[in-house]
Amino acid sequence: MSQNDSESVAEVEQTETEQAENGTRLHDALLEVADLRKWFPIQKGFFSRTVGQVKAVDGVNFYVRPGETLGLVGESGCGKTTTGRLIMHAFPPTAGDIWFDDQELGPVNIAKVDNQQLKRLRRNMQMVFQDPYSSLNPRMNLLQNVGEPLLVNEIAKGQELEDRVSELLRVVGLRPEYLNRYPHAFSGGQRQRIGVARALALNPQLIVLDEPVSALDVSVQAQILNLLQDLQEEFDLTYLFIAHDLSVVEHISDRVAVMYVGMLVESARTEVLYQNPMHPYTEALLSSVPKPDPRDRAEPIVLEGDVADPANPPSGCYFHPRCLYNDNDRCMEETPELREVEQGHFVRCHYAGELELAGVG
């Protein structure tokens, strides 16, 4: 790529990230999330009075371009799975917008759709769940489990349905002879392949992958990740990949967004974030990534204390009680904004760019 081409790409990326952060719709983004919030009420007493709110997702902004994979990472309870389910409209958001560029309906705000629109939208948005053991109906065989979306949407039935399901099984690396077998007859990796086949049944544009390999053995994880990458290239898919294992996210993602207590604290291109993290929380997460070099004896960063309570978060920066670099009142009193420190690199930290943080070589 020439210098002029590199500068043009950089200018486009800078414009896009600025627009996404400001909540402005991008013309070439398939999915855009703007100031997304989901607060669950805390109710007590005989009359179920609301006495507080659990801020599971609290003002999240990001976008995903067609054919791209965005990795959404963070500790358990940070709100990443809730974000994925809000995008799928498993439950309505408290506030914010979720724009999806549907190939039939055009740009649609998922946060404000009715049931009729939602049914049409879900043909182009699918989800692969974390647990392959509970995401399949044990009373239905593979033909019924994988073919159900085709039947519900009146796309295929009879022999045509059987042929399409057989092809889907071949695509994900399973034999068509397994059509009449039930989920209990398969291993965890095979069940996850069945879940992927079901997600592909309607030829979706976007697939939300909610920790699709966390319940699998390491060797099987690599197989499923390679399968997902092959399918993305073959069918021009777009992924939102939710995970807590950063070594897995690095392998599959084009960009990475890090969440902490319902907020986005850092986002950048994968290679940039892994080599040059700018938020202390991201540094701590990266320090736990296994090192292939046995001579690398760097100790992981152990954060003291517990993850902040989303129902009663601390004042100022939510991360300050656990931060190794917190040494003044500003972190405890002033809430940092998510700002662009370098081109396309957004960080929610008062001292981003000033701290020397260790990445992964």
Side-chain angles (χ1 to χ4, degrees), residues 33 35-40 54-60 78-84 86 94-95 259 261-263 310:
V33 172
D35 197 27
L36 183 63
R37 302 174 190 270
K38 182 59 181 180
W39 296 1
F40 294 97
V54 176
K55 299 179 180 180
V57 178
D58 194 16
V60 169
C78 71
K80 54 188 186 298
T81 293
T82 303
T83 300
L86 287 171
T94 303
M259 287 189 69
V261 194
M263 288 186 174

mmCIF file with all atom_site columns, all heavy atoms in Angstrom, residues 33 35-40 54-60 78-84 86 94-95 259 261-263 310:
data_model
loop_
_atom_site.group_PDB
_atom_site.id
_atom_site.type_symbol
_atom_site.label_atom_id
_atom_site.label_alt_id
_atom_site.label_comp_id
_atom_site.label_asym_id
_atom_site.label_entity_id
_atom_site.label_seq_id
_atom_site.pdbx_PDB_ins_code
_atom_site.Cartn_x
_atom_site.Cartn_y
_atom_site.Cartn_z
_atom_site.occupancy
_atom_site.B_iso_or_equiv
_atom_site.pdbx_formal_charge
_atom_site.auth_seq_id
_atom_site.auth_comp_id
_atom_site.auth_asym_id
_atom_site.auth_atom_id
_atom_site.pdbx_PDB_model_num
ATOM 1   N N   . VAL A 1 33  ? -24.223 1.006   17.660 1.00 0.00 ? 33  VAL A N   1
ATOM 2   C CA  . VAL A 1 33  ? -24.808 1.120   18.991 1.00 0.00 ? 33  VAL A CA  1
ATOM 3   C C   . VAL A 1 33  ? -24.460 2.495   19.537 1.00 0.00 ? 33  VAL A C   1
ATOM 4   O O   . VAL A 1 33  ? -23.290 2.874   19.584 1.00 0.00 ? 33  VAL A O   1
ATOM 5   C CB  . VAL A 1 33  ? -24.265 0.016   19.920 1.00 0.00 ? 33  VAL A CB  1
ATOM 6   C CG1 . VAL A 1 33  ? -24.722 0.250   21.346 1.00 0.00 ? 33  VAL A CG1 1
ATOM 7   C CG2 . VAL A 1 33  ? -24.721 -1.355  19.437 1.00 0.00 ? 33  VAL A CG2 1
ATOM 8   N N   . ASP A 1 35  ? -25.028 5.138   22.745 1.00 0.00 ? 35  ASP A N   1
ATOM 9   C CA  . ASP A 1 35  ? -25.446 5.465   24.108 1.00 0.00 ? 35  ASP A CA  1
ATOM 10  C C   . ASP A 1 35  ? -26.424 4.418   24.646 1.00 0.00 ? 35  ASP A C   1
ATOM 11  O O   . ASP A 1 35  ? -27.461 4.742   25.233 1.00 0.00 ? 35  ASP A O   1
ATOM 12  C CB  . ASP A 1 35  ? -26.086 6.853   24.147 1.00 0.00 ? 35  ASP A CB  1
ATOM 13  C CG  . ASP A 1 35  ? -26.158 7.411   25.575 1.00 0.00 ? 35  ASP A CG  1
ATOM 14  O OD1 . ASP A 1 35  ? -25.318 7.024   26.397 1.00 0.00 ? 35  ASP A OD1 1
ATOM 15  O OD2 . ASP A 1 35  ? -27.067 8.223   25.857 1.00 0.00 ? 35  ASP A OD2 1
ATOM 16  N N   . LEU A 1 36  ? -26.079 3.160   24.470 1.00 0.00 ? 36  LEU A N   1
ATOM 17  C CA  . LEU A 1 36  ? -26.961 2.054   24.856 1.00 0.00 ? 36  LEU A CA  1
ATOM 18  C C   . LEU A 1 36  ? -26.928 1.847   26.372 1.00 0.00 ? 36  LEU A C   1
ATOM 19  O O   . LEU A 1 36  ? -25.862 1.769   26.979 1.00 0.00 ? 36  LEU A O   1
ATOM 20  C CB  . LEU A 1 36  ? -26.526 0.775   24.145 1.00 0.00 ? 36  LEU A CB  1
ATOM 21  C CG  . LEU A 1 36  ? -27.393 -0.465  24.372 1.00 0.00 ? 36  LEU A CG  1
ATOM 22  C CD1 . LEU A 1 36  ? -28.803 -0.231  23.832 1.00 0.00 ? 36  LEU A CD1 1
ATOM 23  C CD2 . LEU A 1 36  ? -26.770 -1.684  23.704 1.00 0.00 ? 36  LEU A CD2 1
ATOM 24  N N   . ARG A 1 37  ? -28.109 1.755   26.969 1.00 0.00 ? 37  ARG A N   1
ATOM 25  C CA  . ARG A 1 37  ? -28.215 1.550   28.408 1.00 0.00 ? 37  ARG A CA  1
ATOM 26  C C   . ARG A 1 37  ? -29.264 0.482   28.708 1.00 0.00 ? 37  ARG A C   1
ATOM 27  O O   . ARG A 1 37  ? -30.309 0.412   28.056 1.00 0.00 ? 37  ARG A O   1
ATOM 28  C CB  . ARG A 1 37  ? -28.622 2.856   29.123 1.00 0.00 ? 37  ARG A CB  1
ATOM 29  C CG  . ARG A 1 37  ? -27.650 4.005   28.887 1.00 0.00 ? 37  ARG A CG  1
ATOM 30  C CD  . ARG A 1 37  ? -28.166 5.311   29.476 1.00 0.00 ? 37  ARG A CD  1
ATOM 31  N NE  . ARG A 1 37  ? -27.340 6.426   29.029 1.00 0.00 ? 37  ARG A NE  1
ATOM 32  C CZ  . ARG A 1 37  ? -26.261 6.870   29.664 1.00 0.00 ? 37  ARG A CZ  1
ATOM 33  N NH1 . ARG A 1 37  ? -25.893 6.278   30.789 1.00 0.00 ? 37  ARG A NH1 1
ATOM 34  N NH2 . ARG A 1 37  ? -25.558 7.874   29.197 1.00 0.00 ? 37  ARG A NH2 1
ATOM 35  N N   . LYS A 1 38  ? -28.962 -0.327  29.718 1.00 0.00 ? 38  LYS A N   1
ATOM 36  C CA  . LYS A 1 38  ? -29.949 -1.271  30.244 1.00 0.00 ? 38  LYS A CA  1
ATOM 37  C C   . LYS A 1 38  ? -29.815 -1.306  31.755 1.00 0.00 ? 38  LYS A C   1
ATOM 38  O O   . LYS A 1 38  ? -28.818 -1.788  32.300 1.00 0.00 ? 38  LYS A O   1
ATOM 39  C CB  . LYS A 1 38  ? -29.743 -2.682  29.674 1.00 0.00 ? 38  LYS A CB  1
ATOM 40  C CG  . LYS A 1 38  ? -30.790 -3.674  30.176 1.00 0.00 ? 38  LYS A CG  1
ATOM 41  C CD  . LYS A 1 38  ? -32.207 -3.246  29.803 1.00 0.00 ? 38  LYS A CD  1
ATOM 42  C CE  . LYS A 1 38  ? -33.251 -4.219  30.323 1.00 0.00 ? 38  LYS A CE  1
ATOM 43  N NZ  . LYS A 1 38  ? -34.631 -3.800  29.964 1.00 0.00 ? 38  LYS A NZ  1
ATOM 44  N N   . TRP A 1 39  ? -30.821 -0.753  32.427 1.00 0.00 ? 39  TRP A N   1
ATOM 45  C CA  . TRP A 1 39  ? -30.853 -0.716  33.890 1.00 0.00 ? 39  TRP A CA  1
ATOM 46  C C   . TRP A 1 39  ? -31.979 -1.631  34.360 1.00 0.00 ? 39  TRP A C   1
ATOM 47  O O   . TRP A 1 39  ? -33.125 -1.496  33.932 1.00 0.00 ? 39  TRP A O   1
ATOM 48  C CB  . TRP A 1 39  ? -31.086 0.700   34.405 1.00 0.00 ? 39  TRP A CB  1
ATOM 49  C CG  . TRP A 1 39  ? -29.977 1.664   34.062 1.00 0.00 ? 39  TRP A CG  1
ATOM 50  C CD1 . TRP A 1 39  ? -28.840 1.407   33.344 1.00 0.00 ? 39  TRP A CD1 1
ATOM 51  C CD2 . TRP A 1 39  ? -29.906 3.042   34.433 1.00 0.00 ? 39  TRP A CD2 1
ATOM 52  N NE1 . TRP A 1 39  ? -28.066 2.535   33.239 1.00 0.00 ? 39  TRP A NE1 1
ATOM 53  C CE2 . TRP A 1 39  ? -28.685 3.560   33.899 1.00 0.00 ? 39  TRP A CE2 1
ATOM 54  C CE3 . TRP A 1 39  ? -30.728 3.897   35.165 1.00 0.00 ? 39  TRP A CE3 1
ATOM 55  C CZ2 . TRP A 1 39  ? -28.304 4.887   34.070 1.00 0.00 ? 39  TRP A CZ2 1
ATOM 56  C CZ3 . TRP A 1 39  ? -30.348 5.208   35.337 1.00 0.00 ? 39  TRP A CZ3 1
ATOM 57  C CH2 . TRP A 1 39  ? -29.137 5.699   34.800 1.00 0.00 ? 39  TRP A CH2 1
ATOM 58  N N   . PHE A 1 40  ? -31.652 -2.548  35.257 1.00 0.00 ? 40  PHE A N   1
ATOM 59  C CA  . PHE A 1 40  ? -32.646 -3.453  35.822 1.00 0.00 ? 40  PHE A CA  1
ATOM 60  C C   . PHE A 1 40  ? -33.063 -2.930  37.202 1.00 0.00 ? 40  PHE A C   1
ATOM 61  O O   . PHE A 1 40  ? -32.209 -2.676  38.058 1.00 0.00 ? 40  PHE A O   1
ATOM 62  C CB  . PHE A 1 40  ? -32.077 -4.863  35.959 1.00 0.00 ? 40  PHE A CB  1
ATOM 63  C CG  . PHE A 1 40  ? -31.766 -5.519  34.646 1.00 0.00 ? 40  PHE A CG  1
ATOM 64  C CD1 . PHE A 1 40  ? -30.468 -5.502  34.142 1.00 0.00 ? 40  PHE A CD1 1
ATOM 65  C CD2 . PHE A 1 40  ? -32.749 -6.158  33.918 1.00 0.00 ? 40  PHE A CD2 1
ATOM 66  C CE1 . PHE A 1 40  ? -30.171 -6.105  32.936 1.00 0.00 ? 40  PHE A CE1 1
ATOM 67  C CE2 . PHE A 1 40  ? -32.462 -6.768  32.707 1.00 0.00 ? 40  PHE A CE2 1
ATOM 68  C CZ  . PHE A 1 40  ? -31.170 -6.741  32.214 1.00 0.00 ? 40  PHE A CZ  1
ATOM 69  N N   . VAL A 1 54  ? -29.752 -1.616  38.765 1.00 0.00 ? 54  VAL A N   1
ATOM 70  C CA  . VAL A 1 54  ? -28.519 -2.309  38.388 1.00 0.00 ? 54  VAL A CA  1
ATOM 71  C C   . VAL A 1 54  ? -28.159 -1.842  36.977 1.00 0.00 ? 54  VAL A C   1
ATOM 72  O O   . VAL A 1 54  ? -28.855 -2.164  36.008 1.00 0.00 ? 54  VAL A O   1
ATOM 73  C CB  . VAL A 1 54  ? -28.690 -3.836  38.414 1.00 0.00 ? 54  VAL A CB  1
ATOM 74  C CG1 . VAL A 1 54  ? -27.410 -4.517  37.925 1.00 0.00 ? 54  VAL A CG1 1
ATOM 75  C CG2 . VAL A 1 54  ? -29.038 -4.314  39.808 1.00 0.00 ? 54  VAL A CG2 1
ATOM 76  N N   . LYS A 1 55  ? -27.076 -1.084  36.862 1.00 0.00 ? 55  LYS A N   1
ATOM 77  C CA  . LYS A 1 55  ? -26.686 -0.511  35.577 1.00 0.00 ? 55  LYS A CA  1
ATOM 78  C C   . LYS A 1 55  ? -25.827 -1.514  34.811 1.00 0.00 ? 55  LYS A C   1
ATOM 79  O O   . LYS A 1 55  ? -24.605 -1.413  34.753 1.00 0.00 ? 55  LYS A O   1
ATOM 80  C CB  . LYS A 1 55  ? -25.941 0.803   35.793 1.00 0.00 ? 55  LYS A CB  1
ATOM 81  C CG  . LYS A 1 55  ? -26.796 1.849   36.512 1.00 0.00 ? 55  LYS A CG  1
ATOM 82  C CD  . LYS A 1 55  ? -26.026 3.131   36.742 1.00 0.00 ? 55  LYS A CD  1
ATOM 83  C CE  . LYS A 1 55  ? -26.881 4.165   37.469 1.00 0.00 ? 55  LYS A CE  1
ATOM 84  N NZ  . LYS A 1 55  ? -26.161 5.433   37.706 1.00 0.00 ? 55  LYS A NZ  1
ATOM 85  N N   . ALA A 1 56  ? -26.501 -2.512  34.216 1.00 0.00 ? 56  ALA A N   1
ATOM 86  C CA  . ALA A 1 56  ? -25.795 -3.587  33.520 1.00 0.00 ? 56  ALA A CA  1
ATOM 87  C C   . ALA A 1 56  ? -25.059 -3.074  32.289 1.00 0.00 ? 56  ALA A C   1
ATOM 88  O O   . ALA A 1 56  ? -23.929 -3.500  32.001 1.00 0.00 ? 56  ALA A O   1
ATOM 89  C CB  . ALA A 1 56  ? -26.778 -4.687  33.125 1.00 0.00 ? 56  ALA A CB  1
ATOM 90  N N   . VAL A 1 57  ? -25.691 -2.189  31.546 1.00 0.00 ? 57  VAL A N   1
ATOM 91  C CA  . VAL A 1 57  ? -25.069 -1.532  30.387 1.00 0.00 ? 57  VAL A CA  1
ATOM 92  C C   . VAL A 1 57  ? -25.339 -0.045  30.549 1.00 0.00 ? 57  VAL A C   1
ATOM 93  O O   . VAL A 1 57  ? -26.484 0.364   30.702 1.00 0.00 ? 57  VAL A O   1
ATOM 94  C CB  . VAL A 1 57  ? -25.646 -2.054  29.054 1.00 0.00 ? 57  VAL A CB  1
ATOM 95  C CG1 . VAL A 1 57  ? -25.026 -1.338  27.867 1.00 0.00 ? 57  VAL A CG1 1
ATOM 96  C CG2 . VAL A 1 57  ? -25.429 -3.558  28.931 1.00 0.00 ? 57  VAL A CG2 1
ATOM 97  N N   . ASP A 1 58  ? -24.268 0.763   30.500 1.00 0.00 ? 58  ASP A N   1
ATOM 98  C CA  . ASP A 1 58  ? -24.418 2.162   30.893 1.00 0.00 ? 58  ASP A CA  1
ATOM 99  C C   . ASP A 1 58  ? -23.704 3.102   29.907 1.00 0.00 ? 58  ASP A C   1
ATOM 100 O O   . ASP A 1 58  ? -22.596 3.548   30.153 1.00 0.00 ? 58  ASP A O   1
ATOM 101 C CB  . ASP A 1 58  ? -23.859 2.347   32.302 1.00 0.00 ? 58  ASP A CB  1
ATOM 102 C CG  . ASP A 1 58  ? -24.267 3.680   32.922 1.00 0.00 ? 58  ASP A CG  1
ATOM 103 O OD1 . ASP A 1 58  ? -25.205 4.305   32.403 1.00 0.00 ? 58  ASP A OD1 1
ATOM 104 O OD2 . ASP A 1 58  ? -23.644 4.075   33.921 1.00 0.00 ? 58  ASP A OD2 1
ATOM 105 N N   . GLY A 1 59  ? -24.350 3.362   28.766 1.00 0.00 ? 59  GLY A N   1
ATOM 106 C CA  . GLY A 1 59  ? -23.817 4.332   27.810 1.00 0.00 ? 59  GLY A CA  1
ATOM 107 C C   . GLY A 1 59  ? -22.746 3.773   26.902 1.00 0.00 ? 59  GLY A C   1
ATOM 108 O O   . GLY A 1 59  ? -21.656 4.335   26.793 1.00 0.00 ? 59  GLY A O   1
ATOM 109 N N   . VAL A 1 60  ? -23.046 2.669   26.211 1.00 0.00 ? 60  VAL A N   1
ATOM 110 C CA  . VAL A 1 60  ? -22.070 1.996   25.342 1.00 0.00 ? 60  VAL A CA  1
ATOM 111 C C   . VAL A 1 60  ? -22.225 2.481   23.905 1.00 0.00 ? 60  VAL A C   1
ATOM 112 O O   . VAL A 1 60  ? -23.341 2.601   23.386 1.00 0.00 ? 60  VAL A O   1
ATOM 113 C CB  . VAL A 1 60  ? -22.243 0.472   25.425 1.00 0.00 ? 60  VAL A CB  1
ATOM 114 C CG1 . VAL A 1 60  ? -21.436 -0.237  24.342 1.00 0.00 ? 60  VAL A CG1 1
ATOM 115 C CG2 . VAL A 1 60  ? -21.824 -0.030  26.801 1.00 0.00 ? 60  VAL A CG2 1
ATOM 116 N N   . CYS A 1 78  ? -19.561 -7.853  33.441 1.00 0.00 ? 78  CYS A N   1
ATOM 117 C CA  . CYS A 1 78  ? -19.283 -6.489  32.972 1.00 0.00 ? 78  CYS A CA  1
ATOM 118 C C   . CYS A 1 78  ? -20.369 -5.957  32.039 1.00 0.00 ? 78  CYS A C   1
ATOM 119 O O   . CYS A 1 78  ? -20.377 -4.775  31.723 1.00 0.00 ? 78  CYS A O   1
ATOM 120 C CB  . CYS A 1 78  ? -17.922 -6.439  32.268 1.00 0.00 ? 78  CYS A CB  1
ATOM 121 S SG  . CYS A 1 78  ? -17.882 -7.270  30.666 1.00 0.00 ? 78  CYS A SG  1
ATOM 122 N N   . GLY A 1 79  ? -21.271 -6.819  31.559 1.00 0.00 ? 79  GLY A N   1
ATOM 123 C CA  . GLY A 1 79  ? -22.367 -6.357  30.712 1.00 0.00 ? 79  GLY A CA  1
ATOM 124 C C   . GLY A 1 79  ? -22.247 -6.735  29.257 1.00 0.00 ? 79  GLY A C   1
ATOM 125 O O   . GLY A 1 79  ? -23.094 -6.362  28.446 1.00 0.00 ? 79  GLY A O   1
ATOM 126 N N   . LYS A 1 80  ? -21.231 -7.514  28.897 1.00 0.00 ? 80  LYS A N   1
ATOM 127 C CA  . LYS A 1 80  ? -21.034 -7.821  27.477 1.00 0.00 ? 80  LYS A CA  1
ATOM 128 C C   . LYS A 1 80  ? -22.130 -8.743  26.916 1.00 0.00 ? 80  LYS A C   1
ATOM 129 O O   . LYS A 1 80  ? -22.619 -8.524  25.798 1.00 0.00 ? 80  LYS A O   1
ATOM 130 C CB  . LYS A 1 80  ? -19.654 -8.432  27.239 1.00 0.00 ? 80  LYS A CB  1
ATOM 131 C CG  . LYS A 1 80  ? -19.298 -9.641  28.065 1.00 0.00 ? 80  LYS A CG  1
ATOM 132 C CD  . LYS A 1 80  ? -17.848 -10.036 27.882 1.00 0.00 ? 80  LYS A CD  1
ATOM 133 C CE  . LYS A 1 80  ? -17.521 -11.338 28.591 1.00 0.00 ? 80  LYS A CE  1
ATOM 134 N NZ  . LYS A 1 80  ? -17.715 -11.260 30.058 1.00 0.00 ? 80  LYS A NZ  1
ATOM 135 N N   . THR A 1 81  ? -22.546 -9.752  27.686 1.00 0.00 ? 81  THR A N   1
ATOM 136 C CA  . THR A 1 81  ? -23.627 -10.630 27.230 1.00 0.00 ? 81  THR A CA  1
ATOM 137 C C   . THR A 1 81  ? -24.946 -9.879  27.170 1.00 0.00 ? 81  THR A C   1
ATOM 138 O O   . THR A 1 81  ? -25.740 -10.059 26.232 1.00 0.00 ? 81  THR A O   1
ATOM 139 C CB  . THR A 1 81  ? -23.747 -11.850 28.152 1.00 0.00 ? 81  THR A CB  1
ATOM 140 O OG1 . THR A 1 81  ? -22.573 -12.662 28.012 1.00 0.00 ? 81  THR A OG1 1
ATOM 141 C CG2 . THR A 1 81  ? -24.968 -12.688 27.784 1.00 0.00 ? 81  THR A CG2 1
ATOM 142 N N   . THR A 1 82  ? -25.194 -9.003  28.141 1.00 0.00 ? 82  THR A N   1
ATOM 143 C CA  . THR A 1 82  ? -26.407 -8.181  28.112 1.00 0.00 ? 82  THR A CA  1
ATOM 144 C C   . THR A 1 82  ? -26.426 -7.311  26.868 1.00 0.00 ? 82  THR A C   1
ATOM 145 O O   . THR A 1 82  ? -27.477 -7.143  26.239 1.00 0.00 ? 82  THR A O   1
ATOM 146 C CB  . THR A 1 82  ? -26.490 -7.306  29.374 1.00 0.00 ? 82  THR A CB  1
ATOM 147 O OG1 . THR A 1 82  ? -26.448 -8.136  30.528 1.00 0.00 ? 82  THR A OG1 1
ATOM 148 C CG2 . THR A 1 82  ? -27.764 -6.492  29.393 1.00 0.00 ? 82  THR A CG2 1
ATOM 149 N N   . THR A 1 83  ? -25.274 -6.769  26.496 1.00 0.00 ? 83  THR A N   1
ATOM 150 C CA  . THR A 1 83  ? -25.186 -5.956  25.279 1.00 0.00 ? 83  THR A CA  1
ATOM 151 C C   . THR A 1 83  ? -25.575 -6.780  24.054 1.00 0.00 ? 83  THR A C   1
ATOM 152 O O   . THR A 1 83  ? -26.337 -6.320  23.194 1.00 0.00 ? 83  THR A O   1
ATOM 153 C CB  . THR A 1 83  ? -23.761 -5.410  25.110 1.00 0.00 ? 83  THR A CB  1
ATOM 154 O OG1 . THR A 1 83  ? -23.426 -4.596  26.241 1.00 0.00 ? 83  THR A OG1 1
ATOM 155 C CG2 . THR A 1 83  ? -23.640 -4.579  23.846 1.00 0.00 ? 83  THR A CG2 1
ATOM 156 N N   . GLY A 1 84  ? -25.055 -8.003  23.965 1.00 0.00 ? 84  GLY A N   1
ATOM 157 C CA  . GLY A 1 84  ? -25.396 -8.870  22.840 1.00 0.00 ? 84  GLY A CA  1
ATOM 158 C C   . GLY A 1 84  ? -26.882 -9.176  22.781 1.00 0.00 ? 84  GLY A C   1
ATOM 159 O O   . GLY A 1 84  ? -27.488 -9.182  21.707 1.00 0.00 ? 84  GLY A O   1
ATOM 160 N N   . LEU A 1 86  ? -29.297 -7.333  24.016 1.00 0.00 ? 86  LEU A N   1
ATOM 161 C CA  . LEU A 1 86  ? -30.012 -6.116  23.640 1.00 0.00 ? 86  LEU A CA  1
ATOM 162 C C   . LEU A 1 86  ? -30.012 -5.944  22.126 1.00 0.00 ? 86  LEU A C   1
ATOM 163 O O   . LEU A 1 86  ? -31.023 -5.534  21.532 1.00 0.00 ? 86  LEU A O   1
ATOM 164 C CB  . LEU A 1 86  ? -29.360 -4.902  24.303 1.00 0.00 ? 86  LEU A CB  1
ATOM 165 C CG  . LEU A 1 86  ? -29.580 -4.727  25.809 1.00 0.00 ? 86  LEU A CG  1
ATOM 166 C CD1 . LEU A 1 86  ? -28.689 -3.613  26.340 1.00 0.00 ? 86  LEU A CD1 1
ATOM 167 C CD2 . LEU A 1 86  ? -31.039 -4.441  26.127 1.00 0.00 ? 86  LEU A CD2 1
ATOM 168 N N   . THR A 1 94  ? -33.101 0.253   28.067 1.00 0.00 ? 94  THR A N   1
ATOM 169 C CA  . THR A 1 94  ? -33.634 1.371   28.850 1.00 0.00 ? 94  THR A CA  1
ATOM 170 C C   . THR A 1 94  ? -33.536 2.667   28.065 1.00 0.00 ? 94  THR A C   1
ATOM 171 O O   . THR A 1 94  ? -34.429 3.519   28.112 1.00 0.00 ? 94  THR A O   1
ATOM 172 C CB  . THR A 1 94  ? -32.863 1.497   30.181 1.00 0.00 ? 94  THR A CB  1
ATOM 173 O OG1 . THR A 1 94  ? -32.957 0.263   30.887 1.00 0.00 ? 94  THR A OG1 1
ATOM 174 C CG2 . THR A 1 94  ? -33.420 2.623   31.026 1.00 0.00 ? 94  THR A CG2 1
ATOM 175 N N   . ALA A 1 95  ? -32.435 2.833   27.338 1.00 0.00 ? 95  ALA A N   1
ATOM 176 C CA  . ALA A 1 95  ? -32.226 4.023   26.512 1.00 0.00 ? 95  ALA A CA  1
ATOM 177 C C   . ALA A 1 95  ? -31.179 3.691   25.465 1.00 0.00 ? 95  ALA A C   1
ATOM 178 O O   . ALA A 1 95  ? -30.477 2.687   25.542 1.00 0.00 ? 95  ALA A O   1
ATOM 179 C CB  . ALA A 1 95  ? -31.767 5.205   27.375 1.00 0.00 ? 95  ALA A CB  1
ATOM 180 N N   . MET A 1 259 ? -14.911 -3.839  28.024 1.00 0.00 ? 259 MET A N   1
ATOM 181 C CA  . MET A 1 259 ? -15.961 -3.331  28.917 1.00 0.00 ? 259 MET A CA  1
ATOM 182 C C   . MET A 1 259 ? -15.582 -3.555  30.379 1.00 0.00 ? 259 MET A C   1
ATOM 183 O O   . MET A 1 259 ? -14.935 -4.540  30.725 1.00 0.00 ? 259 MET A O   1
ATOM 184 C CB  . MET A 1 259 ? -17.299 -4.015  28.629 1.00 0.00 ? 259 MET A CB  1
ATOM 185 C CG  . MET A 1 259 ? -17.960 -3.586  27.348 1.00 0.00 ? 259 MET A CG  1
ATOM 186 S SD  . MET A 1 259 ? -19.657 -4.246  27.191 1.00 0.00 ? 259 MET A SD  1
ATOM 187 C CE  . MET A 1 259 ? -20.520 -3.308  28.476 1.00 0.00 ? 259 MET A CE  1
ATOM 188 N N   . VAL A 1 261 ? -17.783 -2.905  34.108 1.00 0.00 ? 261 VAL A N   1
ATOM 189 C CA  . VAL A 1 261 ? -18.963 -2.454  34.860 1.00 0.00 ? 261 VAL A CA  1
ATOM 190 C C   . VAL A 1 261 ? -19.919 -1.663  33.963 1.00 0.00 ? 261 VAL A C   1
ATOM 191 O O   . VAL A 1 261 ? -20.294 -0.528  34.258 1.00 0.00 ? 261 VAL A O   1
ATOM 192 C CB  . VAL A 1 261 ? -18.563 -1.627  36.098 1.00 0.00 ? 261 VAL A CB  1
ATOM 193 C CG1 . VAL A 1 261 ? -19.762 -1.473  37.037 1.00 0.00 ? 261 VAL A CG1 1
ATOM 194 C CG2 . VAL A 1 261 ? -17.432 -2.279  36.856 1.00 0.00 ? 261 VAL A CG2 1
ATOM 195 N N   . GLY A 1 262 ? -20.288 -2.258  32.836 1.00 0.00 ? 262 GLY A N   1
ATOM 196 C CA  . GLY A 1 262 ? -21.296 -1.675  31.964 1.00 0.00 ? 262 GLY A CA  1
ATOM 197 C C   . GLY A 1 262 ? -20.822 -0.590  31.031 1.00 0.00 ? 262 GLY A C   1
ATOM 198 O O   . GLY A 1 262 ? -21.603 -0.091  30.221 1.00 0.00 ? 262 GLY A O   1
ATOM 199 N N   . MET A 1 263 ? -19.553 -0.183  31.143 1.00 0.00 ? 263 MET A N   1
ATOM 200 C CA  . MET A 1 263 ? -19.025 0.890   30.301 1.00 0.00 ? 263 MET A CA  1
ATOM 201 C C   . MET A 1 263 ? -17.913 0.381   29.392 1.00 0.00 ? 263 MET A C   1
ATOM 202 O O   . MET A 1 263 ? -17.182 -0.549  29.748 1.00 0.00 ? 263 MET A O   1
ATOM 203 C CB  . MET A 1 263 ? -18.477 2.036   31.159 1.00 0.00 ? 263 MET A CB  1
ATOM 204 C CG  . MET A 1 263 ? -19.506 2.864   31.866 1.00 0.00 ? 263 MET A CG  1
ATOM 205 S SD  . MET A 1 263 ? -18.717 4.277   32.701 1.00 0.00 ? 263 MET A SD  1
ATOM 206 C CE  . MET A 1 263 ? -20.151 5.169   33.276 1.00 0.00 ? 263 MET A CE  1
ATOM 207 N N   . PRO A 1 310 ? -22.487 -2.927  39.992 1.00 0.00 ? 310 PRO A N   1
ATOM 208 C CA  . PRO A 1 310 ? -23.211 -2.054  39.047 1.00 0.00 ? 310 PRO A CA  1
ATOM 209 C C   . PRO A 1 310 ? -24.446 -1.406  39.664 1.00 0.00 ? 310 PRO A C   1
ATOM 210 O O   . PRO A 1 310 ? -24.973 -0.448  39.107 1.00 0.00 ? 310 PRO A O   1
ATOM 211 C CB  . PRO A 1 310 ? -23.587 -3.001  37.897 1.00 0.00 ? 310 PRO A CB  1
ATOM 212 C CG  . PRO A 1 310 ? -23.535 -4.366  38.497 1.00 0.00 ? 310 PRO A CG  1
ATOM 213 C CD  . PRO A 1 310 ? -22.475 -4.329  39.541 1.00 0.00 ? 310 PRO A CD  1
#
